Amino acid sequence: MSSKLSGKVAFVTGASRGIGRAIALRLAKDGAKVALNFSSNIAKAEEVKATIESSGGAAMLVQGDVSSLAVVTELIKKVVDDWGRLDILINNAGITRDNLLLKMSEDDFDKVIATNLKGVFNCTKAVTKLMMKQRGGRIVNMSSVVGLKGNISQTNYAAAKAGIIGFTKSAARELASRGVTVNVIAPGFINTDMTAALSEKVKEVMMQEIPAGRMGTPEDVANAVAFLVSDEAAYITGQVLSVDGGMAM
Ligand code: NAP
């Protein structure tokens, strides 16, 4: 464990699996106490908590649906009641409900916007007052290469992920004078459950679009998060950092 983030408290949404899991482990390794949010997968979340604790870190589980402002407000309150502060928010929770526009249901559109975009609003709103009062904070929002370029069968997901970028730039402007930075990471094609669900044919096509010639790992994304939440990134706000092996350029 390093002490880069010692004394800091982080809240990571979607921390039970994939990218969120890797971010939680990395922030804990850098010395932060980490609140692990997830939707339903208690066994996986418990495993992340145990991994952090077995290397001397501190973690707590905060299960709940990010698409509900009331739920999220309660979870943030619990973390602040228990640990006294909140310095880092990673808005990572996300889902896909892919389909061609012609076949996409209203529910598929609404669910993806509610989780991926409104979830970011909810969590950010719930921490804003506290971070402003603390006169410091770090917020990192997970967009996607799809939010930059669009993708067939992902109008709902692309709208949410592009929305996150506009949201971030606005929040960054509102909070900059209080020492709170708000940035976006736009991952490319990362090896997680989300991409494992794609067909071999789609995976082959995606691979051809990656100049680096390989899929990214959750740790590739966690490395970028570790930088954006560090003291070294204090003067960086409202930015979109692609972690995609060159896919978006
Ligand atoms: P993943 O493996 O499918 O994991 C998703 C995580 O989000 C899980 O922890 C899940 O909890 C949680 N979650 C889902 N709905 C939630 C809700 N309503 N409230 C709270 N938590 C919720 O996804 P991933 O690939 O790691 O992706 C993480 C983020 O990166 C997402 O925002 C995704 O859009 C983005 N991203 C991924 C890629 C990629 O290639 N994988 C590329 C670009 C962007 P449960 O375990 O309880 O279900």
Side-chain angles (χ1 to χ4, degrees), residues 149-166:
K149 295 178 51 160
N151 196 24
I152 288 171
S153 289
Q154 291 199 308
T155 48
N156 50 359
Y157 186 80
K161 294 301 187 183
I164 285 174
I165 295 173

Side-chain angles (χ1 to χ4, degrees), residues 88-132:
I88 297 166
L89 168 66
I90 313 297
N91 282 312
N92 164 80
I95 57 166
T96 50
R97 294 280 185 279
D98 297 352
N99 219 332
L100 293 170
L101 186 51
L102 272 175
K103 295 184 186 164
M104 185 174 290
S105 70
E106 186 178 5
D107 189 52
D108 286 342
F109 189 84
D110 288 346
K111 278 228 166 64
V112 167
I113 297 293
T115 303
N116 298 14
L117 181 57
K118 186 165 176 254
V120 175
F121 164 78
N122 289 341
C123 296
T124 307
K125 186 171 169 64
V127 305
T128 294
K129 202 170 173 187
L130 178 71
M131 285 189 179
M132 286 175 90

Side-chain angles (χ1 to χ4, degrees), residues 3-246:
S3 58
K4 255 168 75 176
L5 299 177
S6 76
K8 301 256 162 84
V9 171
F11 189 101
V12 182
T13 71
S16 50
R17 294 183 283 124
I19 293 171
R21 174 183 184 276
I23 293 168
L25 295 180
R26 175 58 190 266
L27 298 183
K29 193 174 157 213
D30 287 352
K33 293 178 180 172
V34 188
L36 309 167
N37 165 259
F38 61 102
S39 165
S40 60
N41 214 325
I42 296 180
K44 292 274 182 185
E46 289 280 10
E47 183 266 331
V48 180
K49 181 170 181 275
T51 305
I52 289 172
E53 289 173 343
S54 69
S55 36
M60 76 163 88
L61 299 189
V62 278
Q63 179 176 10
D65 182 352
V66 294
S67 67
S68 161
L69 178 59
V71 166
V72 161
T73 304
E74 272 307 302
L75 298 182
I76 302 277
K77 185 175 177 306
K78 179 179 165 31
V79 175
V80 177
D81 285 350
D82 284 16
W83 285 342
R85 54 188 300 117
L86 210 161
D87 308 278
I88 297 166
L89 168 66
I90 313 297
N91 282 312
N92 164 80
I95 57 166
T96 50
R97 294 280 185 279
D98 297 352
N99 219 332
L100 293 170
L101 186 51
L102 272 175
K103 295 184 186 164
M104 185 174 290
S105 70
E106 186 178 5
D107 189 52
D108 286 342
F109 189 84
D110 288 346
K111 278 228 166 64
V112 167
I113 297 293
T115 303
N116 298 14
L117 181 57
K118 186 165 176 254
V120 175
F121 164 78
N122 289 341
C123 296
T124 307
K125 186 171 169 64
V127 305
T128 294
K129 202 170 173 187
L130 178 71
M131 285 189 179
M132 286 175 90
K133 217 167 106 195
Q134 285 177 183
R135 296 208 153 257
R138 294 279 185 275
I139 301 172
V140 178
N141 300 327
M142 211 52 70
S143 179
S144 167
V145 64
V146 171
L148 299 170
K149 295 178 51 160
N151 196 24
I152 288 171
S153 289
Q154 291 199 308
T155 48
N156 50 359
Y157 186 80
K161 294 301 187 183
I164 285 174
I165 295 173
F167 175 88
T168 299
K169 291 181 179 177
S170 304
R173 286 179 185 275
E174 289 187 25
L175 301 177
S177 66
R178 305 299 180 104
V180 180
T181 69
V182 194
N183 289 291
V184 165
I185 289 180
F189 189 35
I190 312 296
N191 195 2
T192 68
D193 293 346
M194 188 178 272
T195 45
L198 299 170
S199 72
E200 285 308 315
K201 197 172 157 233
V202 171
K203 284 188 203 168
E204 260 172 45
V205 173
M206 301 282 276
M207 284 299 292
Q208 283 164 13
E209 287 185 28
I210 309 173
R214 67 165 175 92
M215 284 181 89
T217 64
E219 290 72 26
D220 286 323
V221 181
N223 289 338
V225 171
F227 169 64
L228 286 176
V229 303
S230 72
D231 288 344
E232 286 84 354
Y235 204 53
I236 300 173
T237 197
Q239 299 305 302
V240 181
L241 177 57
S242 286
V243 180
D244 66 356

